[in-house]
Amino acid sequence: MANDVKTATIDAAGLRNGVWYSHKGNVYALGIVLLVALGSVWALAQDLRWIYLLVYVWFGLGYGIFLQYGRFCMASAVRDLFAVGVPRMAVGMLIAVMLFSLTAALVKVLGVSTFHPHPLGWHIIIGGAIFGFGIVFTGGCATGSLYKSGEGNLGSMLVVLSISFSQAIYVTLGGWLNKLVPASWTQSAVAKDMPAELTVGNGWFDQFTAGYIWDLTGGQLSDQLGFEGLFTGAFFGNALLGAIVPSLLLMIYLYQTAYRKGYQRRFKIETPRLGDHLRGIWSMVTASRTTAIAGLCLGLLAGAHMWATGELREHYGIFNFGEMLVDMGHTAGLSIQDTVFDPGYWYITTQEAQWGAWALDKAGVQMTDNIFFGLENGIPNPLINAPGWMSIGIILGAALLALVRHEFRWKVPSLETAMFAIIGGALMGLGARIALGCNIGAFFATVTNGDLSGWIFLAGMAAGAWVGVKGFNWWMEWRAGDDELAI
Amino acid sequence: MFWFSKRNQQSSIAVRRIDQVVRLESYGPLQVQVMVDCLGAVCPRPQLLTMRALDHMNDGEVLELLVDNPASAEAIPAMAMGLGSTHLVTMRNEGSWRIYLRKGFGDDGH
């Protein structure tokens, strides 16, 4: 088959030759593993309770490895679909959703699910659209930028920085933005009688959170449909109806719109029957084999992560890592309720916001007079920020596999790419804050737990990405100018 | 802003005609007409630039794409058919790839 990538690839530099340690990448990769292992042992020697934080690190490492393996990027899933009509990554993503929904259901049955449903409202679709628009310009979603940073991509590191600081700034902004907030939000927010130090009446995000978000409700499908049984609720309600059936429908839609024509032309099928369509769908699934394998492993890993954190919380009798930090004597950077951000599952954007806020706080900016940091998430030192370590784990895991696969390289962005990274990252940060998460927290982790708000986020993200692709193409045409070919 | 000026942009042209023969190890000589340099770029740029360059090429002409983004190196051969082209060969180097596509669905000429 002429299009088979594996057979048509020639190893030009003799990458596969020599003993394993003659390849520097392998040595560096081993170094990463040893570093994380030694760091873990050192932390445990200080206090065994750091195991709670280390769970985040090691699962992060695992996520990073499989993300790099599958080139798993939700940004390219929606973008390739609109830009060139290739459903490969989108199919891989849907497979991951189906598998994670099963592991998530199992974790719920075991009674250690850490999932909280998202409130349902217009903010999801608006935030998703802004986020989707941003990812086209940055060339990766929040997770994608992390694993690409691990591949040595300096542009992606700029995206991570931009997301971190932009989010931290958005949630604290007040001033003239207060005037844009609907009066009903302000009233409702002030009526909630929050502690005075949060100055809830000042800051658009506070009023958005307390005056709008908190008045909304959301839930898991199992509860909404009134499934009483734990097993039927988790597996039938949440996994099957909430995640698997919608994923299958979307896959049929993708086959119909993006794959069927090419498949039938290639195999000269004139009058397709049901069997041909099924074989076609199967061929579409196997065409995204590595992504599907990565999706399978990520689904299992994400479920295992929820289980591990849930068990640890039960073991130590805590609801939030903040309680443990207080016990250990680390009280700086906690919220006024002594909590920190601790989702207990795969999450990306909030911990990045905390990094940005921590740095700004050190620079003397008042960062805790708001609900997001002051009441809920805190701004812990990055050294003891558990989900933050998951993000670092993702970078290290991706670096590890990229080094082994001869794919690591320091990639310096052009000025244009760097500008896009910063502006796009700021848009992604805004979208993620409005939608209360990125494509992981607001989509992947929600739909797989039977929370339908994730599918709304996906719709918003797809719409935003569609506009983004149009904009990107327009920009390239403008840059090319009169010259037909030069870009 | 100075870096958005037309003049500044011309110096960083990513797509250009080269019309030269490249000798590929264990593949043989290949006449290449258009070169797309996407070093340092992440998707969607390599995909969109390749698509645009192919739009402006004639049937049978060969495009050389230089990428260092692993995701693009895997995605582009997989979408070659959708772009109306045939993937000829990918040359794998340390941390980068050179991908050769021929416009049209003819024989791979080898």
Side-chain angles (χ1 to χ4, degrees), chain B residues 66-101:
Chain B
L66 201 57
V67 284
D68 54 11
N69 179 35
S72 305
E74 204 159 85
I76 284 173
M79 62 176 61
M81 185 173 267
L83 300 177
S85 65
T86 311
H87 175 229
L88 301 178
V89 66
T90 296
M91 302 302 285
R92 180 92 167 70
N93 289 297
E94 182 78 44
S96 69
W97 292 259
R98 277 177 297 149
I99 301 170
Y100 296 89
L101 302 173

Side-chain angles (χ1 to χ4, degrees), chain A residues 179-485:
Chain A
K179 297 199 180 83
L180 299 180
V181 176
S184 59
W185 291 7
T186 315
Q187 268 172 9
S188 171
V190 173
K192 298 249 165 35
D193 228 0
M194 285 284 122
E197 62 255 53
L198 297 176
T199 58
V200 171
N202 180 24
W204 74 277
F205 197 77
D206 283 347
Q207 295 166 56
F208 168 74
T209 308
Y212 173 70
I213 297 286
W214 287 357
D215 294 338
L216 301 170
T217 53
Q220 288 169 285
L221 205 56
S222 54
D223 304 325
Q224 286 156 350
L225 293 177
F227 287 128
E228 302 275 315
L230 191 56
F231 193 82
T232 45
F235 279 97
F236 187 75
N238 290 344
L240 186 70
L241 294 183
I244 297 177
V245 169
S247 298
L248 285 175
L249 289 177
L250 271 178
M251 265 162 83
I252 292 171
Y253 173 76
L254 290 177
Y255 168 74
Q256 184 65 25
T257 51
Y259 200 79
R260 187 178 57 92
K261 251 195 203 148
Y263 177 76
Q264 287 176 1
R265 207 185 307 138
R266 184 145 153 211
F267 291 96
K268 302 191 173 57
I269 300 167
E270 305 261 308
T271 47
R273 286 180 232 228
L274 184 64
D276 293 316
H277 287 314
L278 290 179
R279 272 188 290 278
I281 291 174
W282 182 244
S283 135
M284 180 174 82
V285 170
T286 48
S288 38
R289 201 172 51 102
T290 47
T291 316
I293 294 173
L296 193 150
C297 298
L298 286 168
L300 290 174
L301 215 55
H305 184 186
M306 276 215 292
W307 172 79
T309 307
E311 286 289 340
L312 279 175
R313 280 186 194 169
E314 200 140 291
H315 179 77
Y316 287 111
I318 56 166
F319 289 103
N320 183 284
F321 187 42
E323 299 165 51
M324 195 182 271
L325 285 175
V326 171
D327 257 8
M328 293 159 97
H330 298 283
T331 48
L334 304 187
S335 77
I336 52 176
Q337 315 178 79
D338 278 347
T339 56
V340 287
F341 181 60
D342 176 23
Y345 51 87
W346 191 3
Y347 213 100
I348 298 294
T349 40
T350 301
Q351 60 264 43
E352 291 180 351
Q354 289 177 303
W355 290 344
W358 182 80
L360 288 172
D361 183 67
K362 285 282 164 259
V365 185
Q366 167 57 269
M367 297 306 287
T368 48
D369 62 345
N370 55 70
I371 293 172
F372 187 75
F373 293 122
L375 181 71
E376 291 176 342
N377 297 312
I379 39 171
N381 186 318
L383 286 173
I384 54 169
N385 186 343
W389 276 102
M390 170 166 58
S391 301
I392 293 168
I394 290 176
I395 297 178
L396 292 177
L400 190 155
L401 192 64
L403 282 163
V404 170
R405 296 214 286 180
H406 301 263
E407 289 176 355
F408 186 91
R409 181 185 158 116
W410 292 108
K411 291 152 213 168
V412 184
S414 66
L415 201 52
E416 183 188 326
T417 311
M419 289 302 290
F420 277 180
I422 292 169
I423 297 168
L427 286 171
M428 284 163 67
L430 180 63
R433 270 313 103 230
I434 293 177
L436 310 180
C438 66
N439 50 337
I440 298 299
F443 167 69
F444 192 66
T446 45
V447 294
T448 48
N449 282 284
D451 180 349
L452 298 182
S453 72
W455 293 114
I456 300 172
F457 180 85
L458 182 69
M461 186 170 90
W466 186 83
V467 177
V469 168
K470 294 277 168 226
F472 198 98
N473 278 329
W474 173 84
W475 167 258
M476 286 205 314
E477 291 296 326
W478 181 83
R479 277 203 51 188
D482 304 330
D483 194 334
E484 282 258 295
L485 199 58

Side-chain angles (χ1 to χ4, degrees), chain A residues 8 10 12 84 139 405 479 487, chain B residues 9 14 43 51 68 90 92 95:
Chain A
I10 294 172
V84 273
R405 296 214 286 180
R479 277 203 51 188
I487 295 170
Chain B
Q9 297 296 339
C43 18
M51 197 163 87
D68 54 11
T90 296
R92 180 92 167 70

Side-chain angles (χ1 to χ4, degrees), chain A residues 23-94:
Chain A
H23 168 41
K24 259 196 229 151
N26 287 339
V27 180
Y28 287 133
L30 187 69
I32 291 176
V33 176
L34 285 177
L35 197 75
V36 179
L38 280 176
S40 304
V41 172
W42 177 78
L44 289 176
Q46 308 289 314
D47 193 326
L48 266 183
R49 285 173 289 183
W50 287 122
I51 183 89
Y52 193 87
L53 185 146
L54 292 173
V55 163
Y56 275 108
V57 180
W58 286 93
F59 274 101
L61 208 64
Y63 293 142
I65 288 174
F66 288 114
L67 285 167
Q68 209 279 336
Y69 172 77
R71 285 85 164 79
F72 204 81
C73 187
M74 302 226 182
S76 61
V78 279
R79 201 185 40 218
D80 288 359
L81 197 60
F82 295 132
V84 273
V86 175
R88 203 166 136 266
M89 193 61 73
V91 170
M93 184 186 83
L94 290 174

Side-chain angles (χ1 to χ4, degrees), chain A residues 88-104:
Chain A
R88 203 166 136 266
M89 193 61 73
V91 170
M93 184 186 83
L94 290 174
I95 291 170
V97 165
M98 291 195 272
L99 287 159
F100 182 30
S101 75
L102 289 175
T103 47

Side-chain angles (χ1 to χ4, degrees), chain B residues 3 12 49 51 61 65 73 79 106-107:
Chain B
W3 55 77
S12 62
L49 285 187
M51 197 163 87
E61 288 188 323
L65 171 68
M79 62 176 61
D107 179 30

